[in-house]
Amino acid sequence: MTKTISLLGSTGSIGRQSLEVIEALGLQVSALTANRSVELLEAQCRKFRPRLAVCMDPEAAGALKIKLADTPVKVAFGMEGLLEAATLEGTDTVLTAVMGMVGLRPTLAALKLGRRVALANKETLVCAGELVMQTAEAYGGEILPVDSEHSALFQCLQGNRDRGEVKRLILTASGGPFFGKERKELARVTLQDALRHPNWAMGAKITVDSATMMNKGLEVIEAMRLYGMPLEKISVVIHRESIIHSLVEYCDNAVLAQLGTPDMRLPIQYALTWPHRVPGSAEPLDLLSCPSLTFAPPDPENFPCLALAMEAAGAGGTATAILNGANEAAVSLFLRGEIAFLEIFTRVERACRMIPATPCRSLEDALEADAAARRAVLGQ
Ligand code: MG
């Protein structure tokens, strides 16, 4: 079980909920990092007393250093700071809750020290999943999922880790705010509409990914890597209520599911306490007051991002890094109001068609593919 944590991305939605769990469990915090939310990071440092605080943005780090001058907290910045937080001595678990593929290098660095990485950053496994899993194995590090679907699968796989017995992993998807809409309606949706998720309170990027269904595509790739499963053994079902977080079907046709209220504190806590369970702060599930559970197939006609991600997953190599880099760039354009909702797909698709996938043998291969994809999206 975890005792001392470096929390990368402490001011985002997962980061803030992680600190609630950390406080409830009485764990130590050795490092906190943020992008540029100086005020919140200062408050978190005063409360949790880490040894190191990092802002990705150098100016923000300068401001933080002045604010924390009366404390012993060391302040660092940029990727170097993030790597220092991931490798800080005395840390046993690195919780990676940063947004985007910036989480890749610190995850690899922590795994090389044989640490537990509680991974809330799916882009890491999408960009360079094989490399990350090989690194974990070679250095005795472990990756525990924080994403609710992957935590559900992990929970349903406990005691049954023999992969030969698993027939299928079934990921549930809420369908996001636009489920049931057709293309002509999707052409008119606004940023505000896209940010209104029916069940989960999450960061802006993942909420948009949820609206396009790209999030589920990234999660299929994440599940392939985490559990060493081929694409054809993973399926997606729309489950609007987000009560069943995912399911595992075994060779005898038994299906195990994990249920709970949509509350990220549960998967966060399980990644920190595994293989044990302890009383937690997530809302209990009341079966008698929960809505009827419904299931539907995905709609590839109106939400083509899922199929595009599946295609990249099947192609392998750098194809998934290209998909992810293109998606990160396109979503940031949408968040800045520069492109329409449907253009996210068209830009990502064009980048995926333009850039040939190659084998992904190193971190550099993944970073190059990512950069080429971003350039392709921004240059369109
Ligand atoms: Mg998820």
Side-chain angles (χ1 to χ4, degrees), residues 8-133:
L8 313 186
S10 65
T11 58
S13 171
I14 296 287
R16 294 193 307 270
Q17 295 178 77
S18 297
L19 285 173
E20 281 181 41
V21 173
I22 287 167
E23 187 180 11
L25 295 177
L27 304 174
Q28 295 289 315
V29 174
S30 51
L32 292 174
T33 86
N35 196 15
R36 58 171 73 88
S37 305
V38 174
E39 257 99 70
L40 181 53
L41 186 55
E42 182 202 357
Q44 292 177 344
C45 285
R46 291 193 181 278
K47 184 166 181 183
F48 290 92
R49 296 277 161 186
R51 279 183 286 145
L52 175 68
V54 179
C55 283
M56 287 305 285
D57 181 70
E59 263 177 50
L64 183 69
K65 196 168 182 173
I66 294 166
K67 284 179 182 292
L68 290 176
D70 63 318
T71 72
V73 181
K74 180 186 166 188
V75 176
F77 67 91
M79 181 52 77
E80 284 309 305
L82 207 55
L83 288 170
E84 189 181 347
T87 55
L88 203 62
E89 212 174 306
T91 294
D92 50 66
T93 299
V94 177
L95 203 165
T96 311
V98 295
M99 194 279 287
M101 75 97 69
V102 71
L104 177 56
R105 288 180 63 197
T107 296
L108 287 171
L111 290 173
K112 282 186 177 171
L113 294 173
R115 293 196 174 148
R116 173 180 289 192
V117 174
L119 195 63
N121 170 258
K122 67 193 68 170
E123 290 88 347
T124 291
L125 285 173
V126 172
C127 286
E130 283 155 311
L131 183 69
V132 170
M133 297 310 288

Side-chain angles (χ1 to χ4, degrees), residues 343-364:
E343 215 178 323
I344 298 174
F345 169 73
T346 51
R347 291 217 181 199
V348 175
E349 188 194 32
R350 232 177 287 152
C352 290
R353 304 270 177 260
M354 261 170 69
I355 305 165
T358 57
C360 187
R361 295 199 184 89
S362 64
L363 175 62
E364 287 67 36

Side-chain angles (χ1 to χ4, degrees), residues 122 147-149 215-216 219:
K122 67 193 68 170
D147 209 346
S148 61
E149 294 79 358
N215 183 52
K216 210 48 55 180
E219 289 183 353

